[in-house]
């Protein structure tokens, strides 16, 4: 199955480099490019790609607005958006998380991670390395709100899956660690989305930290 990708970045050389890397893969095709945020939203809504790669800083609309319009909580049929940034964890990345981004990629991460990230996003997984996951949890732990009066009732297996998601595991890795099939892992992840009312795995990881289910570095 071919994963269709839209690239949004105001730098020609970045788009060209990403396009060359992705089109060299047998299962990925770049179906469109945009040099500004306005064009990125219009193109993505028209093409309905499997993954949208968007830079943070662009003219017209920045990557945060692009993410919100394509993957935000008010979007009826959201697209998987991966934010491409020169930053690690700053206010832009956290804002992108809240806007609905399903993953993060640093521009200097290299071709292998770019390809891996696109494939992961297309399969419904988050593009977060374990190191970045820990730093995300560190961030949310410093601003943890009071625990809610009631929490969704999770099964023991769902609680185990929750912790593995918080540690950056993919569905395949969860299945291997828990000795279940990938399809069963996917079902548990979907149940967590439904019970917690969250749209992506990054939000699940943040929820686990904010509500004391996992501690930074654990």
């Amino acid at each position: 199955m071919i994963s269709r990708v839209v690239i949004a970045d105001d730098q020609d050389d970045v788009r060209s480099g990403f396009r060359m890397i992705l089109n060299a893969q047998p299962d990925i095709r770049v179906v469109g490019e945009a040099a500004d945020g306005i064009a990125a939203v219009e193109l993505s809504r028209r093409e309905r790609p499997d993954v949208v790669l968007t830079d943070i800083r662009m003219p017209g609309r920045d990557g945060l607005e692009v993410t919100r319009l394509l993957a935000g909580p008010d979007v009826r049929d959201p697209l998987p958006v991966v934010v491409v940034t020169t930053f690690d964890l700053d206010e832009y990345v956290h804002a992108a998380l809240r806007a609905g981004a399903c993953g993060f990629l640093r521009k200097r991460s290299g071709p292998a991670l770019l390809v891996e990230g696109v494939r992961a996003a297309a399969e419904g997984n988050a593009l977060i390395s374990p190191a970045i996951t820990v730093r995300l949890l560190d961030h949310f732990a410093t601003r943890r709100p009071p625990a809610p009066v009631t929490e969704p009732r999770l099964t023991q297996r769902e609680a185990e899956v929750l912790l593995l998601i918080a540690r950056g595991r993919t569905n395949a890795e969860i299945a291997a660690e828990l000795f279940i099939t990938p399809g069963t892992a996917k079902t548990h992840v979907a149940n967590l989305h439904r019970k917690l009312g969250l749209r992506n795995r990054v939000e699940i990881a943040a929820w686990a930290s904010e509500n004391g289910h996992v501690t930074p570095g654990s």
Side-chain angles (χ1 to χ4, degrees):
M1 180 178 178
I2 302 296
S3 296
R4 303 167 67 252
V5 180
V6 161
I7 302 172
D9 196 293
D10 62 341
Q11 299 181 49
D12 293 341
D13 58 338
V14 171
R15 295 198 312 275
S16 176
F18 284 1
R19 181 180 66 251
M20 186 179 304
I21 292 168
L22 296 176
N23 280 343
Q25 308 305 311
D27 58 336
I28 301 175
R29 286 294 176 271
V30 175
V31 296
E33 300 176 29
D36 64 77
I38 295 175
V41 172
E42 294 175 351
L43 176 63
S44 298
R45 285 174 171 170
R46 182 173 67 250
E47 293 293 335
R48 300 294 305 174
D50 299 296
V51 181
V52 178
L53 296 178
T54 180
D55 192 10
I56 284 285
R57 294 176 175 173
M58 292 186 296
R61 289 190 175 106
D62 64 18
L64 300 179
E65 182 69 3
V66 169
T67 301
R68 186 185 67 79
L69 292 172
L70 296 179
D74 297 327
V75 179
R76 177 173 298 178
D77 190 12
L79 294 170
V81 177
V82 175
V83 173
V84 184
T85 176
T86 56
F87 307 98
D88 268 321
L89 295 177
D90 58 11
E91 67 273 17
Y92 296 112
V93 176
H94 297 300
L97 166 64
R98 295 306 186 191
C102 71
F104 305 108
L105 177 70
R106 299 185 68 186
K107 287 186 177 180
R108 61 175 181 266
S109 295
L113 188 56
L114 175 67
V115 172
E116 179 184 350
V118 167
R119 287 173 176 158
E123 294 171 358
N125 293 318
L127 170 59
I128 313 176
S129 71
I132 293 178
T133 299
V134 169
R135 292 175 66 178
L136 271 172
L137 297 180
D138 285 339
H139 168 78
F140 286 110
T142 61
R143 49 187 289 277
R144 180 180 297 165
V149 176
T150 59
E151 287 191 11
R153 184 180 298 276
L154 303 181
T155 66
Q156 180 178 348
R157 184 63 86 189
E158 288 168 350
E160 293 170 343
V161 172
L162 174 72
L163 294 181
L164 292 177
I165 291 175
R167 292 168 183 159
R169 303 297 196 270
T170 66
N171 286 353
E173 291 169 336
I174 290 172
E177 292 196 34
L178 298 181
F179 301 101
I180 58 179
T181 67
T184 300
K186 185 176 181 180
T187 297
H188 288 310
V189 173
N191 288 340
L192 287 172
H193 283 299
R194 176 178 54 80
K195 288 186 176 182
L196 302 179
L198 301 174
R199 298 166 65 101
N200 60 60
R201 302 165 80 93
V202 186
E203 291 182 347
I204 290 177
W207 184 93
S209 179
E210 290 176 340
N211 290 278
H213 290 269
V214 64
T215 57
S218 64

